[in-house]
Amino acid sequence: TPLVELTGVGKSYGNITALRDVSVSVHAGQVTCVLGDNGAGKSTLIKIVSGLHGHDDGEYRVDGEPVRFSSPREALDRGIATVYQDLAVVPLMPVWRNFFLGSEPTSGVWPFRRLDVRKMRETTDAELRKLGIELPDVDLPIGSLSGGQRQCVAIARAIHFGARVLILDEPTAALGVKQSGVVLKYVAAARDAGLGVIFISHNPHHAFLVGDHFVVLRQGEVELDAKRAELTLDQ
Ligand code: ADP
Ligand code: ADP
């Protein structure tokens, strides 16, 4: 059973059809790449998957069960996490603090939080290393890291807080060759750790470095749907 499956999904904004009869699935341990030019419908697709928009037609299933999320929170509760390209981090705060930002219980434990600082630092360090990120120090302000490293911290954070499906929206778009390589390696590590990944890109080269499955959208419709083996030259 796919973690996430859209079947024949359609979505309109007023009289603009953003998606028509789109089917996409995401399996554990695989990267599904969604490619397409501006306006092709990529953002609309991930907004549906992440619970920001409802779909008009077709079906959306998680673990084989039809769903209709009315907020990103509901998708997150099912393990579907979006990692945005512009990370919502506080640049001057240490890496570990950003890692746990927004995760605090809203009541009760305030007086005890100071006691957990050491644990949060250790957890952050351990989670980053688990997928192969070596940071000199989790006490560094996150703003001093490279864009690629910040992206990786955001991915590790999502995994730590229970993501089973990662939605990566153009994770390499703002990065140079070297930093893109850092992020792509990390995406591969997340895949190998058993997550399902939706990788949105308009860069087919980056997609091909990590992708198992490729869906090309064009004017809201699926133009190409292929597995990796169907696209390789050596067969
Ligand atoms: P992509 O992410 O591939 O650039 P989008 O999903 O953003 O594509 O857009 C698909 C189509 O839907 C485009 O024609 C776009 O103009 C239109 N669209 C996207 N968002 C809205 C919106 N909020 N209101 C009206 N039209 C929209
Ligand atoms: P949902 O589809 O879950 O009810 P949406 O955010 O998609 O929530 O908004 C409801 C409807 O409003 C959409 O189906 C779409 O047709 C329309 N809509 C949303 N944003 C725009 C926009 N910026 N311009 C035009 N229509 C929009």
Side-chain angles (χ1 to χ4, degrees):
T1 316
L3 294 172
V4 156
E5 186 174 29
L6 299 183
T7 313
V9 161
K11 171 74 182 174
S12 301
Y13 298 102
N15 53 16
I16 298 169
T17 301
L19 293 178
R20 189 201 307 273
D21 195 20
V22 168
S23 299
V24 179
S25 58
V26 183
H27 293 260
Q30 292 194 4
V31 178
T32 296
C33 296
V34 180
L35 296 147
D37 295 333
N38 284 339
K42 306 184 297 300
S43 303
T44 301
L45 187 144
I46 61 177
K47 282 174 181 165
I48 291 170
V49 175
S50 66
L52 215 52
H53 283 337
H55 50 289
D56 301 333
D57 303 307
E59 204 151 44
Y60 176 11
R61 292 171 185 267
V62 175
D63 302 317
E65 176 191 317
V67 292
R68 185 170 195 94
F69 297 131
S70 46
S71 74
R73 181 74 243 174
E74 291 179 13
L76 201 55
D77 287 344
R78 296 295 298 266
I80 299 165
T82 310
V83 176
Y84 291 99
Q85 160 189 319
D86 49 324
L87 304 175
V89 295
V90 186
L92 291 175
M93 278 188 180
V95 170
W96 68 264
R97 190 69 192 81
N98 276 282
F99 195 91
F100 280 92
L101 207 62
S103 69
E104 295 89 351
T106 47
S107 66
V109 286
W110 258 103
F112 304 107
R113 219 183 62 190
R114 287 174 68 89
L115 300 178
D116 293 331
V117 167
R118 199 175 123 207
K119 189 148 179 279
M120 288 193 277
R121 294 177 66 249
E122 285 173 4
T123 301
T124 302
D125 193 56
E127 289 288 20
L128 295 178
R129 284 174 201 282
K130 207 187 281 177
L131 293 184
I133 290 294
E134 299 275 335
L135 281 190
D137 189 350
V138 294
D139 285 324
L140 289 172
I142 200 163
S144 70
L145 304 188
S146 70
Q149 286 173 320
R150 289 202 300 270
Q151 189 88 243
C152 294
V153 172
I155 293 171
R157 180 185 188 283
I159 295 172
H160 177 69
F161 289 105
R164 300 184 299 138
V165 177
L166 286 180
I167 302 172
L168 304 177
D169 186 7
E170 300 273 6
T172 59
L175 306 177
V177 174
K178 188 163 165 235
Q179 291 302 315
S180 293
V182 170
V183 172
L184 291 168
K185 251 175 80 175
Y186 212 57
V187 172
R191 172 198 65 198
D192 295 343
L195 279 93
V197 180
I198 302 180
F199 186 96
I200 303 289
S201 184
H202 57 245
N203 186 323
H205 176 63
H206 287 175
F208 203 71
L209 286 171
V210 291
D212 297 288
H213 186 178
F214 302 84
V215 175
V216 179
L217 295 179
R218 185 184 167 86
Q219 296 182 351
E221 300 191 53
V222 175
E223 185 184 47
L224 173 81
D225 182 337
K227 292 204 162 36
R228 185 179 188 85
E230 298 169 53
L231 299 177
T232 49
L233 297 174
D234 47 355
Q235 33 196 308

